Amino acid sequence: MAIDSYMQKMFGDTNVSAFRDATVLLVGAGGIGCELLKDLIMMQFGEIHVLDLDTIDLSNLNRQFLFRQKDIKTSKALTAVKAVKSFNHFSKLVAHHGNIMDKAQFPLSFFEQFDMIFNALDNLEARMYVNKICLFTRVPLMESGTTGLKGQVQPIYPYLTECFACVPKTTPKAFPVCTIRSTPSKPVHCVTWAKNYLFPQLFGPRDFETQNVPTANQDEKSEEDNAKEKAEALRETNELLDLKNKIDYAAEKLQNLEGTTEFGFINDIIAKVFYSDIVRLLRMDSLWRSREKPTPLDYEGQYKQHLDQFLGKLPTDNLSVSDQKLWTPLENLKVFAKATLNLTRRLAKEKIIDFDKDDQDALDFVATASNLRSVIFDIPRKTEFEVKQIAGNIIPAVATTNAIMAGFSGLSSIHYFLSGKNTEEAVKHSRMICDSSSRERFVNSSTLFKPNPKCKQCSITRGIAKVDLSTIDVGAFRDAILSKYNYEDDISLTTSDSRLLYDFDFDDNRKSKLSKFVTNGDILLVTDSEEKLDLVELMLVDTSGKSLVLPDLEIPEYQGNEQESETEDNSDSNSVIEQEGDDDDIVVLDEDEDEKQISKKRKLEDDFSNGKSVKSRKVEHGESKPDDDMVVLD
């Protein structure tokens, strides 16, 4: 029986037409996305857009069945669409290779064309962004995710059900620089050091050394020790720069030779990193008052002779070691030496090498460097397979779980389309799907929850303001808001990155055009100076010549005091599911941003999100827009 016959038999001609008339967006073409794209096509959605910024890696092929070996390094979105065209008879397919958060490539009008958005993402930031976009546009969202044998599907109908932000999410694990650089105690500390510090120091850009000098821990060290550590850190950075110069010199020689017997730079790296640097750390007496001291690698006495013999046979020596077994220190040294040589040879052409878990040379270097450091600090070693999981933030994915949750995601959408796009009717029939703790069943389901009144996203009144940014000035925009929403007193206008544009005490920008401070897609926050009405978020859509149009909104009374009582560790039975290991993302923090400062920063962000007028910095007339602070995750 043909596919269309099955669809008509299950849903009837009228309902099948509802699918064929729909335009949907699939965000993410990975493990769940590949399965979900197949399902959406089989459901005969009229137009399916697939969006993903990633390219295909070797490690994707075991569970992302639309991709083949020949597709490695190509766009996931473009390749997925190309792969399913052969069995597509009804759907128009459109691929987009780009970042979902790129407002220039994907403005608000891009999202407004869709009847529903399906999320198949693998990171928290993008999920939160899509969730907020759906709140602005009121487009229903199907959120899905898996980790191992667990998974969930959450239908989100803006302002009628819980949004993705209603339940607090687990934050990434963070390690201070001092722990990574000086006092590791876990294998993950050693892997992070090898991947995020040593590897880019030797094979990354030249300015990396000066950007990553470690800071001191004021709580643990005396002023004398702090000064000593800073001096030693600068010395260590200069020594690494010398090693970088030696590697670059060796790379030039290796570029023109099949092989070379000059491997002194490899010996220098080993002697410095695994002996001299450790001896230097041992001079910091305060570090070892409550910790076990490390033992510098006895390279000269125990291993150098064996390694020199091995180096003499490179690059022809075929070293055979299994990534599933723990390597001895000597085996680690040999693999480290061979990986260093291979990377140095490549550096002549590539100039800069970034770590990639699927790059065997890079993985060999990081695995062996982290294991040798573990030996020094008496930390359990890991197999190369385990190091790859840690360095790549990988939680083993199960293809069948991806397929099951993709199926539930597609099935959950039918309630919206079969109800004639009636969101209230769809909510009555929709179910939340999540993993089950029972051995008798794979998943549980429940009715959808109402929005959390203290949610940082959906408890805020939002709307879309259509305005010509180049002709409307700040004062005119402020006057229009006062008139539209009947504020009793003045208001404050602040950008989402805490820049004050207008306030009763600050009207310097009144005659300045909005385009001086904001661009298309930016958000302005409106707060009542008397704090009688709650915070309002207005997304600005540049209309280029058309008049100002403000949305019709019902602004509730100010709820700031109630929202301030919210705690971050509020627990809920709804677990957070990440597709590919978001909970294991590693953030290396500067030491001066310790736990107290992090808590203080979060408190300031929470105050701002909950409606408090933040006037920490004013944007003076003509001041350029500063860059946002950012933490880069791998």
Side-chain angles (χ1 to χ4, degrees), residues 63-314:
R63 67 193 181 281
Q64 298 174 19
F65 299 129
L66 296 181
F67 308 140
R68 300 291 181 266
Q69 185 94 18
K70 62 182 176 60
D71 299 322
I72 290 175
K73 300 303 179 184
T74 63
S75 164
K76 284 187 175 180
L78 297 171
T79 306
V81 165
K82 182 179 178 181
V84 298
K85 281 186 176 180
S86 61
F87 57 87
N88 170 47
H89 302 287
F90 302 99
S91 304
K92 176 184 176 182
L93 299 174
V94 183
H96 304 274
H97 180 72
N99 189 337
I100 187 72
M101 296 183 286
D102 185 342
K103 293 182 294 185
Q105 187 176 1
F106 305 111
L108 193 68
S109 57
F110 172 79
F111 298 97
E112 289 179 317
Q113 67 179 304
F114 300 112
D115 296 296
M116 179 172 286
I117 295 176
F118 293 84
N119 253 4
L121 287 161
D122 62 357
N123 73 88
L124 190 60
E125 183 184 13
R127 281 173 149 143
M128 287 293 188
Y129 180 82
V130 175
N131 182 73
K132 180 176 276 192
I133 286 292
C134 289
L135 291 172
F136 274 109
T137 59
R138 296 180 182 267
V139 175
L141 172 65
M142 287 293 155
E143 170 63 45
S144 58
T146 66
T147 175
L149 294 174
K150 298 180 179 181
Q152 76 174 31
V153 173
Q154 179 185 5
I156 297 172
Y157 294 95
Y159 304 107
L160 294 179
T161 66
E162 274 185 344
C163 75
F164 184 69
C166 277
V167 178
K169 303 298 185 288
T170 304
T171 56
K173 298 174 183 177
F175 304 118
V177 167
C178 186
T179 299
I180 298 301
R181 297 280 295 271
S182 305
T183 56
S185 58
K186 300 177 181 179
V188 66
H189 297 160
C190 298
V191 174
T192 303
W193 167 83
K195 170 194 168 185
N196 292 353
Y197 171 66
L198 183 62
F199 187 88
Q201 286 275 18
L202 298 180
F203 305 106
R206 280 195 158 270
D207 60 350
F208 184 89
E209 303 90 8
T210 56
Q211 296 173 3
N212 292 273
V213 178
T215 55
N217 187 334
Q218 299 292 342
D219 293 333
E220 291 190 4
K221 306 182 184 69
S222 64
E223 291 185 7
E224 181 180 353
D225 280 342
N226 273 306
K228 185 186 297 184
E229 182 171 357
K230 288 179 181 179
E232 294 291 354
L234 181 59
R235 177 181 172 184
E236 181 182 338
T237 299
N238 290 332
E239 289 176 354
L240 279 169
L241 183 58
D242 290 339
L243 289 179
K244 174 77 171 172
N245 292 333
K246 291 181 179 180
I247 288 175
D248 290 343
Y249 176 73
E252 292 179 7
K253 297 190 68 175
L254 287 166
Q255 186 176 18
N256 302 315
L257 298 172
E258 287 295 324
T260 178
T261 57
E262 297 181 13
F263 299 119
F265 72 98
I266 296 178
N267 285 315
D268 291 342
I269 292 172
I270 295 173
K272 172 193 158 37
V273 173
F274 303 116
Y275 182 81
S276 299
D277 286 352
I278 307 304
V279 171
R280 187 175 300 129
L281 280 176
L282 289 171
R283 297 174 188 153
M284 306 293 174
D285 295 333
S286 59
L287 286 177
W288 317 114
R289 289 170 185 164
S290 58
R291 299 182 179 94
E292 185 177 347
K293 292 182 178 181
T295 303
L297 192 69
D298 185 15
Y299 174 61
E300 291 287 341
Q302 192 173 359
Y303 301 113
K304 190 174 186 302
Q305 181 180 356
H306 298 286
L307 189 61
D308 284 344
Q309 292 176 357
F310 173 73
L311 289 173
K313 300 176 183 178
L314 287 178

Side-chain angles (χ1 to χ4, degrees), residues 26-40 50 52 63-64 66-67 80 84 118-121 144 402 406 579:
L26 170 59
V27 188
I32 292 180
C34 284
E35 294 287 345
L36 186 50
L37 176 58
K38 175 195 66 178
D39 295 339
L40 297 180
V50 182
D52 199 303
R63 67 193 181 281
Q64 298 174 19
L66 296 181
F67 308 140
V84 298
F118 293 84
N119 253 4
L121 287 161
S144 58
N402 288 339
Q579 183 177 340

Side-chain angles (χ1 to χ4, degrees), residues 11 19 36 39-40 43 45 116-118 140-144 152-157 404-419 422-423 425-434 444-446 448:
F11 301 113
F19 295 131
L36 186 50
D39 295 339
L40 297 180
M43 293 175 69
F45 280 102
M116 179 172 286
I117 295 176
F118 293 84
L141 172 65
M142 287 293 155
E143 170 63 45
S144 58
Q152 76 174 31
V153 173
Q154 179 185 5
I156 297 172
Y157 294 95
I404 291 169
M405 291 305 156
F408 276 125
S409 183
L411 285 173
S412 297
S413 70
I414 67 175
H415 302 297
Y416 178 65
F417 294 102
L418 296 186
S419 66
N422 184 323
T423 52
E425 186 67 22
V427 169
K428 294 179 183 178
H429 301 286
S430 296
R431 308 283 291 181
M432 172 85 161
I433 306 297
C434 59
N444 281 329
S445 66
S446 67
L448 303 183

